[in-house]
Amino acid sequence: MGFQFFNPHARTAFTLDPSGKVHKRIKDEEHLAFIRQLPSLISGIQGCEACHVRYGDPRHRKPRTGKGVKPDDAWTVPLTPEEHRLQHSMNEQAYWQSVGIDPLEVAIQLYAVSGDIEAGRAIIMKARNETK
């Protein structure tokens, strides 16, 4: 019983979806505070919440997370409370497709400039202008 070998044919041996693997969530309160200072990604209105994007996307190496499990704080965008509730009340990917914004790309860009309000606002404005 001491020696066990790797079974390459096991159901999870080569899975491309990392969502089932144990991952300790990365928390970043400073980044969340930064996100809350930005205008809404949808409407441009101030007074936002840090909205965690839960759906996964292999293009961004973002695993999906289910209800009750928040993704890393890097995967957040600013939304008003009303927009945030709407986004979580329906199919999240369908919501973002309906507004024509890739929230994961915006989240990556915002995390890269975290703390720089002017750079964050520029990213939000650019994403909003590209939808028009």
Side-chain angles (χ1 to χ4, degrees):
M1 298 214 74
F3 177 75
Q4 294 183 347
F5 64 92
F6 174 71
N7 178 358
H9 302 291
R11 256 178 15 128
T12 60
F14 296 103
T15 183
L16 295 176
D17 181 2
S19 61
K21 295 181 175 69
V22 176
H23 167 73
K24 185 171 171 73
R25 188 170 98 73
I26 298 171
K27 298 178 182 181
D28 189 337
E29 289 299 325
E30 289 180 12
H31 181 64
L32 296 180
F34 162 70
I35 292 293
R36 291 182 194 110
Q37 294 176 60
L38 297 173
S40 166
L41 181 55
I42 305 297
S43 62
I45 296 171
Q46 289 289 146
C48 288
E49 299 176 344
C51 173
H52 289 81
V53 181
R54 295 180 188 278
Y55 74 87
D57 189 330
R59 293 173 299 149
H60 299 296
R61 299 184 53 83
K62 161 73 173 68
R64 67 181 160 85
T65 51
K67 292 196 182 237
V69 178
K70 282 187 180 177
D72 294 344
D73 288 343
W75 299 111
T76 56
V77 294
L79 295 180
T80 66
E82 297 78 19
E83 294 162 345
H84 193 175
R85 305 299 168 265
L86 179 61
Q87 180 252 350
H88 284 309
S89 74
M90 58 187 292
N91 178 290
E92 190 175 28
Q93 280 184 287
Y95 173 80
W96 287 109
Q97 287 173 348
S98 74
V99 297
I101 295 176
D102 180 350
L104 297 174
E105 182 60 36
V106 173
I108 290 168
Q109 292 175 24
L110 290 173
Y111 200 69
V113 301
S114 190
D116 184 338
I117 300 296
E118 290 309 311
R121 285 186 179 150
I123 290 166
I124 296 295
M125 290 300 290
K126 183 177 184 284
R128 293 187 68 241
N129 287 335
E130 289 175 353
T131 66
K132 295 177 182 178

